[in-house]
Amino acid sequence: MTTTRQPGGTPLPADARLARELLDGLAEAILTTDETGRVTLVNAMAAELLPEISAGTALPDCNVTPLAQAVASGADHFTAEHHGRRLSGARRHLAGGRYAWYVRDVTEDHRHTAALLAERARTAFLAEAGSRLALTLHRDEVLRAVTTLAVPVLADVAVALPRSPAPAEPHARWTRYADGAPAPVGGLAGPTLASTVPGLAEALAGDVTEPGRWPDAPHADLAGMLPLDFGPPGALLVTPLLSAGGSAGALLLVRRGGRQGFDSREVELAREFAARAGAALATADLHGEQAHLARVLQTSLLPPDLPAVNGVRMAGGYRAAGDTLRIGGDFYEVFPHADGALFALGDVCGRGVGAAVLTGRVRQCLQTLRLVERRPLELIHLLNQALLDAPDAARRSQLTTVLLGSLERLPTGLDVRIAGGGHPAPLLVTADGTVTPVPVGGMPVGALTAARFAETRVRLGPGDLLLAYTDGVTGARGPRDAAVFGEARLRATLAAAAGQPPAALIDRVLAAVDDWLDGQAHDDVAMLALGASTSA
């Protein structure tokens, strides 16, 4: 037997049959050529992948064009789509000017790579969509984001058709974005649109639909939904904008006539995107409803405009700790009557919506009770009992401090009677700049059935003012070592503002508190300044 030696020196048998078996058992196609480029050997895999090539074929002239071009140009690599397979070949130089081509079937590798890239693109698209949709809580902005995100990744035109947030609106509004357009545009959906576009009625009901074609027949309800220069529409996919509460609307994805239709991966991606868009739209709708309720609540709970009372000068000031709703637990009221007026200023324990709700209850009680009782001390007892009789009084366990007072006109001033329920004493500011507290005392309202309250009386002469305030004024903490504004600073501010009208005095105090806070968070603030007018 003839033998050859491998590089390590170990002899190898020169057995042609064994060599052929080894070559044919390889998963890689192998072609060898002589120095002229003519094929001298074709293994079994090469015969399967390249049936056009056999021993004796001149590779520069073979029917596998990419391979022939590589041989002719002297390239060492080629790729080709051949008989439904993707091939990749590499050339290796052999002794005597001969060559060997190693050709692999990389169809599955290519498919896996394409699938990986597609999944990465899908993940990146959904991540961007989630990020952008999470940045807004406004319905119109969500619809604009939905349509601009979908183009051109999913379609050439995207139309979002949400359910109308108001049942009274007869037609829904759509938002459209087309590839190349400067911005989304809106329009009004016609009454028969749902029955005109295939799958739209089902999507609005929350059902999944399959891709189809844009309706061929022109229809009045479709006018404007596609740009005038869009050209013939092709594939159409209508998918519901699903949310936890059902369908929030539908998303229409339209492709131009020359673009390929939606494959299964694209349909799946569009549905997942629409689900996220539906959730964002539902969240925006919920936020809109809550904002509307907050505005209604705010309107009903903000201190009212003060009425005109003959012989009385007055002004109020209010700041809520909740910056978004501008409602809180501090309040003031003035109820005029034939002989003068009743006034109230109070502070509910807590802040925000919960405190505002109890504030509304206190104000409603006062609105009713003042019709049967004008004496401050008796009125505060009635208010205490009314709050304790509320069904949820024990569970609520919230306290209210309050000042209730009556104003009666005198020939030269006002007679003021004040009943206290655990509230800071009001301050008397005389015309000469003297600031004196008016002690009242008493226990918080709504805490105990047998609570004790107190009453005092003060006379306001010409130029005098009485300031009732909540502890949000004196308790305001600034950035300077977290020190509070305090009663001493309040008195100094009032003394400097002595002789000014009530509104100017209120503005002066609010400005001083704002300067002290220097942008820091603060508690609710309410103030009511009262004095005798110069003429009865």
Side-chain angles (χ1 to χ4, degrees), residues 49-70:
L49 297 180
L50 305 169
E52 301 87 350
I53 299 177
S54 59
T57 301
L59 284 188
D61 302 323
C62 71
N63 293 329
V64 184
T65 304
L67 175 57
Q69 292 174 343

Side-chain angles (χ1 to χ4, degrees), residues 365-384:
C365 288
L366 288 173
Q367 285 277 6
T368 303
L369 294 175
R370 56 102 179 180
L371 298 176
V372 297
E373 182 57 73
R374 292 182 182 176
R375 295 171 297 177
L377 185 58
E378 286 73 10
L379 182 57
I380 202 170
H381 277 285
L382 290 176
L383 176 62
N384 184 65

Side-chain angles (χ1 to χ4, degrees), residues 14-33:
D15 189 331
R17 182 177 178 182
L18 176 59
R20 168 57 68 177
E21 290 178 354
L22 291 174
L23 289 172
D24 288 343
L26 295 176
E28 191 173 37
I30 298 178
L31 302 172
T32 61
T33 67

Side-chain angles (χ1 to χ4, degrees), residues 65 141 183 191 265 287 297 382 387 391 414 420 452 480 517:
T65 304
E141 292 182 10
R265 284 181 174 270
H287 177 266
L297 183 63
L382 290 176
L387 294 178
L414 292 173
R452 295 190 299 273
R480 307 176 186 90
L517 287 168

Side-chain angles (χ1 to χ4, degrees), residues 8 26 74 93 114 117-119 163 187 226 283 325 331 372 379 381 394 418 421 435 466 490 496 533:
L26 295 176
H93 294 261
L117 293 175
E119 183 60 26
R163 287 187 174 276
L226 296 180
T283 301
L325 297 182
F331 67 94
V372 297
L379 182 57
H381 277 285
I418 308 170
V435 180
L466 182 72
L490 175 59
S533 61

Side-chain angles (χ1 to χ4, degrees), residues 116-130 269 272 276:
L116 178 60
L117 293 175
E119 183 60 26
R120 287 179 178 175
R122 172 183 176 277
T123 302
F125 170 71
L126 291 176
E128 180 187 2
L269 178 59
E272 186 165 351
R276 299 189 182 198

Side-chain angles (χ1 to χ4, degrees), residues 55-304:
T57 301
L59 284 188
D61 302 323
C62 71
N63 293 329
V64 184
T65 304
L67 175 57
Q69 292 174 343
V71 172
S73 63
D76 289 332
H77 299 277
F78 80 91
T79 57
E81 295 288 342
H82 193 63
H83 295 307
R85 296 175 176 176
R86 187 173 185 85
L87 305 181
S88 175
R91 183 175 70 167
R92 181 178 178 183
H93 294 261
L94 302 177
R98 295 172 298 169
Y99 296 95
W101 280 97
Y102 300 86
V103 182
R104 294 176 55 241
D105 183 355
V106 295
T107 304
E108 290 301 317
D109 293 345
H110 182 72
R111 185 179 294 116
H112 292 159
T113 300
L116 178 60
L117 293 175
E119 183 60 26
R120 287 179 178 175
R122 172 183 176 277
T123 302
F125 170 71
L126 291 176
E128 180 187 2
S131 177
R132 284 186 56 184
L133 292 173
L135 291 177
T136 179
L137 289 174
H138 297 283
R139 178 184 178 89
D140 291 343
E141 292 182 10
V142 169
L143 293 173
R144 287 194 288 269
V146 168
T147 52
T148 53
L149 281 166
V151 175
V153 177
L154 296 174
D156 299 306
V157 169
V159 180
L161 184 68
R163 287 187 174 276
S164 175
E169 293 186 12
H171 307 307
R173 290 189 170 274
W174 49 259
T175 300
R176 182 198 74 207
Y177 181 71
D179 191 16
V185 297
L188 192 64
T192 61
L193 179 64
S195 60
T196 304
V197 178
L200 181 55
E202 294 82 353
L204 291 173
D207 297 330
V208 175
T209 62
E210 295 301 322
R213 304 290 297 180
W214 185 260
D216 293 330
H219 197 282
D221 288 342
L222 301 180
M225 291 197 70
L226 296 180
L228 295 177
D229 59 350
F230 185 69
L236 167 68
L237 176 61
V238 183
T239 184
L241 297 172
L242 294 176
S243 67
S247 176
L251 178 64
L252 285 71
L253 301 172
V254 187
R255 292 183 172 180
R256 287 188 169 89
R259 185 172 174 179
Q260 187 177 2
F262 295 92
D263 60 29
S264 59
R265 284 181 174 270
E266 292 171 328
V267 171
E268 181 184 355
L269 178 59
R271 289 172 179 169
E272 186 165 351
F273 168 69
R276 299 189 182 198
L281 185 60
T283 301
D285 287 343
L286 179 60
H287 177 266
E289 293 174 4
Q290 292 175 338
H292 173 70
L293 292 176
R295 287 191 295 270
V296 173
L297 183 63
Q298 174 180 300
T299 301
S300 65
L301 294 180
L302 282 175

